[in-house]
mmCIF file of all heavy atoms in Angstrom:
data_model
loop_
_atom_site.group_PDB
_atom_site.id
_atom_site.type_symbol
_atom_site.label_atom_id
_atom_site.label_comp_id
_atom_site.label_asym_id
_atom_site.label_seq_id
_atom_site.Cartn_x
_atom_site.Cartn_y
_atom_site.Cartn_z
ATOM 1 N N THR A 136 -6.361 12.566 0.678
ATOM 2 C CA THR A 136 -6.784 12.795 -0.693
ATOM 3 C C THR A 136 -5.679 12.329 -1.637
ATOM 4 O O THR A 136 -4.581 11.945 -1.204
ATOM 5 C CB THR A 136 -7.049 14.288 -0.937
ATOM 6 O OG1 THR A 136 -5.805 14.997 -0.801
ATOM 7 C CG2 THR A 136 -8.064 14.842 0.061
ATOM 8 N N LEU A 137 -5.934 12.401 -2.931
ATOM 9 C CA LEU A 137 -4.906 12.044 -3.907
ATOM 10 C C LEU A 137 -3.670 12.922 -3.719
ATOM 11 O O LEU A 137 -2.535 12.420 -3.718
ATOM 12 C CB LEU A 137 -5.444 12.197 -5.326
ATOM 13 C CG LEU A 137 -4.405 12.008 -6.450
ATOM 14 C CD1 LEU A 137 -3.791 10.615 -6.411
ATOM 15 C CD2 LEU A 137 -5.039 12.283 -7.812
ATOM 16 N N ASP A 138 -3.853 14.224 -3.564
ATOM 17 C CA ASP A 138 -2.708 15.114 -3.390
ATOM 18 C C ASP A 138 -1.921 14.766 -2.137
ATOM 19 O O ASP A 138 -0.690 14.814 -2.129
ATOM 20 C CB ASP A 138 -3.166 16.572 -3.335
ATOM 21 C CG ASP A 138 -3.595 17.100 -4.699
ATOM 22 O OD1 ASP A 138 -3.234 16.473 -5.723
ATOM 23 O OD2 ASP A 138 -4.293 18.131 -4.746
ATOM 24 N N HIS A 139 -2.625 14.437 -1.060
ATOM 25 C CA HIS A 139 -1.937 14.020 0.163
ATOM 26 C C HIS A 139 -1.078 12.782 -0.090
ATOM 27 O O HIS A 139 0.093 12.709 0.324
ATOM 28 C CB HIS A 139 -2.952 13.707 1.270
ATOM 29 C CG HIS A 139 -3.734 14.884 1.739
ATOM 30 N ND1 HIS A 139 -5.030 14.790 2.203
ATOM 31 C CD2 HIS A 139 -3.415 16.202 1.812
ATOM 32 C CE1 HIS A 139 -5.460 15.973 2.567
ATOM 33 N NE2 HIS A 139 -4.505 16.861 2.326
ATOM 34 N N ASN A 140 -1.668 11.786 -0.750
ATOM 35 C CA ASN A 140 -0.949 10.541 -1.022
ATOM 36 C C ASN A 140 0.294 10.779 -1.875
ATOM 37 O O ASN A 140 1.368 10.240 -1.595
ATOM 38 C CB ASN A 140 -1.870 9.532 -1.718
ATOM 39 C CG ASN A 140 -2.940 8.985 -0.804
ATOM 40 O OD1 ASN A 140 -2.711 8.755 0.383
ATOM 41 N ND2 ASN A 140 -4.131 8.776 -1.344
ATOM 42 N N LEU A 141 0.148 11.585 -2.922
ATOM 43 C CA LEU A 141 1.285 11.847 -3.808
ATOM 44 C C LEU A 141 2.368 12.636 -3.090
ATOM 45 O O LEU A 141 3.570 12.413 -3.308
ATOM 46 C CB LEU A 141 0.807 12.581 -5.058
ATOM 47 C CG LEU A 141 -0.151 11.795 -5.966
ATOM 48 C CD1 LEU A 141 -0.569 12.646 -7.158
ATOM 49 C CD2 LEU A 141 0.464 10.485 -6.430
ATOM 50 N N ASP A 142 1.968 13.555 -2.228
ATOM 51 C CA ASP A 142 2.942 14.328 -1.462
ATOM 52 C C ASP A 142 3.739 13.416 -0.531
ATOM 53 O O ASP A 142 4.968 13.528 -0.415
ATOM 54 C CB ASP A 142 2.220 15.411 -0.656
ATOM 55 C CG ASP A 142 3.097 16.623 -0.374
ATOM 56 O OD1 ASP A 142 4.247 16.653 -0.860
ATOM 57 O OD2 ASP A 142 2.635 17.541 0.319
ATOM 58 N N LEU A 143 3.071 12.499 0.109
ATOM 59 C CA LEU A 143 3.744 11.549 0.999
ATOM 60 C C LEU A 143 4.684 10.633 0.219
ATOM 61 O O LEU A 143 5.839 10.416 0.618
ATOM 62 C CB LEU A 143 2.714 10.721 1.768
ATOM 63 C CG LEU A 143 1.923 11.474 2.843
ATOM 64 C CD1 LEU A 143 0.722 10.653 3.285
ATOM 65 C CD2 LEU A 143 2.809 11.800 4.040
ATOM 66 N N LEU A 144 4.214 10.100 -0.906
ATOM 67 C CA LEU A 144 5.045 9.207 -1.712
ATOM 68 C C LEU A 144 6.277 9.916 -2.253
ATOM 69 O O LEU A 144 7.341 9.305 -2.388
ATOM 70 C CB LEU A 144 4.226 8.637 -2.877
ATOM 71 C CG LEU A 144 3.280 7.489 -2.535
ATOM 72 C CD1 LEU A 144 2.363 7.183 -3.715
ATOM 73 C CD2 LEU A 144 4.064 6.241 -2.148
ATOM 74 N N GLY A 145 6.144 11.179 -2.551
ATOM 75 C CA GLY A 145 7.272 11.921 -3.100
ATOM 76 C C GLY A 145 8.262 12.414 -2.060
ATOM 77 O O GLY A 145 9.325 12.928 -2.417
ATOM 78 N N ASN A 146 7.935 12.247 -0.788
ATOM 79 C CA ASN A 146 8.789 12.786 0.280
ATOM 80 C C ASN A 146 8.995 11.780 1.410
ATOM 81 O O ASN A 146 9.107 12.154 2.580
ATOM 82 C CB ASN A 146 8.171 14.069 0.837
ATOM 83 C CG ASN A 146 8.144 15.193 -0.179
ATOM 84 O OD1 ASN A 146 9.132 15.886 -0.385
ATOM 85 N ND2 ASN A 146 7.008 15.376 -0.839
ATOM 86 N N LEU A 147 9.069 10.499 1.067
ATOM 87 C CA LEU A 147 9.194 9.458 2.089
ATOM 88 C C LEU A 147 10.454 9.608 2.927
ATOM 89 O O LEU A 147 10.480 9.239 4.103
ATOM 90 C CB LEU A 147 9.177 8.070 1.435
ATOM 91 C CG LEU A 147 7.848 7.613 0.842
ATOM 92 C CD1 LEU A 147 8.044 6.310 0.077
ATOM 93 C CD2 LEU A 147 6.802 7.438 1.936
ATOM 94 N N GLY A 148 11.506 10.145 2.324
ATOM 95 C CA GLY A 148 12.759 10.277 3.054
ATOM 96 C C GLY A 148 12.625 11.096 4.321
ATOM 97 O O GLY A 148 13.379 10.892 5.285
ATOM 98 N N LEU A 149 11.675 12.018 4.355
ATOM 99 C CA LEU A 149 11.449 12.827 5.549
ATOM 100 C C LEU A 149 11.265 11.956 6.783
ATOM 101 O O LEU A 149 11.785 12.247 7.866
ATOM 102 C CB LEU A 149 10.209 13.704 5.333
ATOM 103 C CG LEU A 149 9.682 14.459 6.557
ATOM 104 C CD1 LEU A 149 10.585 15.640 6.864
ATOM 105 C CD2 LEU A 149 8.245 14.924 6.322
ATOM 106 N N PHE A 150 10.525 10.849 6.624
ATOM 107 C CA PHE A 150 10.148 10.016 7.764
ATOM 108 C C PHE A 150 11.311 9.172 8.299
ATOM 109 O O PHE A 150 11.210 8.606 9.383
ATOM 110 C CB PHE A 150 8.958 9.139 7.391
ATOM 111 C CG PHE A 150 7.738 9.949 7.039
ATOM 112 C CD1 PHE A 150 7.439 10.237 5.715
ATOM 113 C CD2 PHE A 150 6.922 10.471 8.030
ATOM 114 C CE1 PHE A 150 6.342 11.012 5.390
ATOM 115 C CE2 PHE A 150 5.830 11.251 7.715
ATOM 116 C CZ PHE A 150 5.537 11.526 6.389
ATOM 117 N N GLN A 151 12.422 9.136 7.545
ATOM 118 C CA GLN A 151 13.598 8.446 8.075
ATOM 119 C C GLN A 151 14.165 9.190 9.275
ATOM 120 O O GLN A 151 14.922 8.618 10.074
ATOM 121 C CB GLN A 151 14.664 8.300 6.986
ATOM 122 C CG GLN A 151 14.255 7.427 5.807
ATOM 123 C CD GLN A 151 14.038 5.972 6.198
ATOM 124 O OE1 GLN A 151 14.403 5.542 7.279
ATOM 125 N NE2 GLN A 151 13.449 5.198 5.297
ATOM 126 N N GLY A 152 13.808 10.457 9.426
ATOM 127 C CA GLY A 152 14.254 11.216 10.579
ATOM 128 C C GLY A 152 13.689 10.705 11.890
ATOM 129 O O GLY A 152 14.151 11.108 12.962
ATOM 130 N N LEU A 153 12.693 9.816 11.833
ATOM 131 C CA LEU A 153 12.133 9.230 13.047
ATOM 132 C C LEU A 153 12.957 8.052 13.543
ATOM 133 O O LEU A 153 12.753 7.576 14.665
ATOM 134 C CB LEU A 153 10.684 8.797 12.798
ATOM 135 C CG LEU A 153 9.702 9.947 12.568
ATOM 136 C CD1 LEU A 153 8.364 9.429 12.067
ATOM 137 C CD2 LEU A 153 9.512 10.763 13.847
ATOM 138 N N GLY A 154 13.875 7.562 12.704
ATOM 139 C CA GLY A 154 14.786 6.518 13.141
ATOM 140 C C GLY A 154 14.192 5.132 13.221
ATOM 141 O O GLY A 154 14.727 4.269 13.930
ATOM 142 N N CYS A 155 13.108 4.890 12.508
ATOM 143 C CA CYS A 155 12.435 3.585 12.531
ATOM 144 C C CYS A 155 12.414 2.991 11.125
ATOM 145 O O CYS A 155 12.435 3.726 10.136
ATOM 146 C CB CYS A 155 10.992 3.736 12.996
ATOM 147 S SG CYS A 155 10.790 4.390 14.660
ATOM 148 N N PRO A 156 12.336 1.654 11.011
ATOM 149 C CA PRO A 156 12.059 1.083 9.694
ATOM 150 C C PRO A 156 10.769 1.676 9.134
ATOM 151 O O PRO A 156 9.820 1.935 9.886
ATOM 152 C CB PRO A 156 11.911 -0.415 9.981
ATOM 153 C CG PRO A 156 12.645 -0.642 11.250
ATOM 154 C CD PRO A 156 12.468 0.622 12.059
ATOM 155 N N LEU A 157 10.746 1.889 7.830
ATOM 156 C CA LEU A 157 9.596 2.517 7.173
ATOM 157 C C LEU A 157 8.884 1.483 6.311
ATOM 158 O O LEU A 157 9.489 0.880 5.420
ATOM 159 C CB LEU A 157 10.069 3.687 6.316
ATOM 160 C CG LEU A 157 9.032 4.387 5.446
ATOM 161 C CD1 LEU A 157 7.942 5.005 6.305
ATOM 162 C CD2 LEU A 157 9.692 5.455 4.584
ATOM 163 N N LEU A 158 7.602 1.275 6.589
ATOM 164 C CA LEU A 158 6.769 0.371 5.797
ATOM 165 C C LEU A 158 5.938 1.185 4.829
ATOM 166 O O LEU A 158 5.369 2.216 5.200
ATOM 167 C CB LEU A 158 5.867 -0.465 6.709
ATOM 168 C CG LEU A 158 4.992 -1.529 6.039
ATOM 169 C CD1 LEU A 158 4.772 -2.715 6.992
ATOM 170 C CD2 LEU A 158 3.631 -0.988 5.597
ATOM 171 N N LEU A 159 5.853 0.711 3.593
ATOM 172 C CA LEU A 159 5.049 1.371 2.572
ATOM 173 C C LEU A 159 4.006 0.398 2.040
ATOM 174 O O LEU A 159 4.339 -0.686 1.555
ATOM 175 C CB LEU A 159 5.943 1.853 1.426
ATOM 176 C CG LEU A 159 5.241 2.624 0.305
ATOM 177 C CD1 LEU A 159 4.629 3.910 0.830
ATOM 178 C CD2 LEU A 159 6.214 2.931 -0.829
ATOM 179 N N GLY A 160 2.745 0.799 2.144
ATOM 180 C CA GLY A 160 1.650 -0.007 1.617
ATOM 181 C C GLY A 160 0.936 0.732 0.504
ATOM 182 O O GLY A 160 0.130 1.631 0.768
ATOM 183 N N VAL A 161 1.245 0.375 -0.734
ATOM 184 C CA VAL A 161 0.639 1.056 -1.884
ATOM 185 C C VAL A 161 -0.069 0.080 -2.819
ATOM 186 O O VAL A 161 -0.665 0.489 -3.813
ATOM 187 C CB VAL A 161 1.714 1.830 -2.691
ATOM 188 C CG1 VAL A 161 2.220 3.027 -1.903
ATOM 189 C CG2 VAL A 161 2.878 0.918 -3.072
ATOM 190 N N SER A 162 -0.030 -1.189 -2.502
ATOM 191 C CA SER A 162 -0.458 -2.232 -3.431
ATOM 192 C C SER A 162 -1.911 -2.092 -3.861
ATOM 193 O O SER A 162 -2.831 -2.147 -3.026
ATOM 194 C CB SER A 162 -0.240 -3.594 -2.767
ATOM 195 O OG SER A 162 -0.548 -4.644 -3.653
ATOM 196 N N ARG A 163 -2.123 -1.887 -5.160
ATOM 197 C CA ARG A 163 -3.438 -1.861 -5.797
ATOM 198 C C ARG A 163 -4.364 -0.775 -5.252
ATOM 199 O O ARG A 163 -5.587 -0.826 -5.440
ATOM 200 C CB ARG A 163 -4.140 -3.214 -5.676
ATOM 201 C CG ARG A 163 -3.364 -4.410 -6.204
ATOM 202 C CD ARG A 163 -4.146 -5.689 -6.021
ATOM 203 N NE ARG A 163 -3.406 -6.884 -6.414
ATOM 204 C CZ ARG A 163 -3.857 -8.131 -6.252
ATOM 205 N NH1 ARG A 163 -5.044 -8.330 -5.725
ATOM 206 N NH2 ARG A 163 -3.113 -9.158 -6.620
ATOM 207 N N LYS A 164 -3.842 0.229 -4.579
ATOM 208 C CA LYS A 164 -4.696 1.201 -3.912
ATOM 209 C C LYS A 164 -5.334 2.173 -4.896
ATOM 210 O O LYS A 164 -4.895 2.335 -6.026
ATOM 211 C CB LYS A 164 -3.913 1.935 -2.820
ATOM 212 C CG LYS A 164 -3.652 1.037 -1.609
ATOM 213 C CD LYS A 164 -3.131 1.791 -0.410
ATOM 214 C CE LYS A 164 -3.060 0.869 0.809
ATOM 215 N NZ LYS A 164 -2.509 1.558 2.000
ATOM 216 N N SER A 165 -6.369 2.854 -4.403
ATOM 217 C CA SER A 165 -7.218 3.655 -5.289
ATOM 218 C C SER A 165 -6.516 4.895 -5.829
ATOM 219 O O SER A 165 -6.986 5.473 -6.811
ATOM 220 C CB SER A 165 -8.493 4.060 -4.559
ATOM 221 O OG SER A 165 -8.198 4.876 -3.438
#
C-alpha cells in the first residue's frame, strides 16, 4: 500500500544489514 511504500522508503538503511548492494526502483511509480 502507499503506507507500506513510504515506510520502506523512509527506512532503507535497515536493509543494509543484509550486506548486499541495494537497488531502488521508484521511477514514475503510482
Side-chain angles (χ1 to χ4, degrees):
T136 65
L137 173 60
D138 287 342
H139 294 149
N140 290 323
L141 295 179
D142 207 3
L143 289 166
L144 281 170
N146 294 278
L147 290 173
L149 171 75
F150 298 96
Q151 296 295 347
L153 292 169
C155 299
L157 174 62
L158 184 149
L159 183 63
V161 290
S162 184
R163 305 179 185 175
K164 287 192 173 178
S165 62

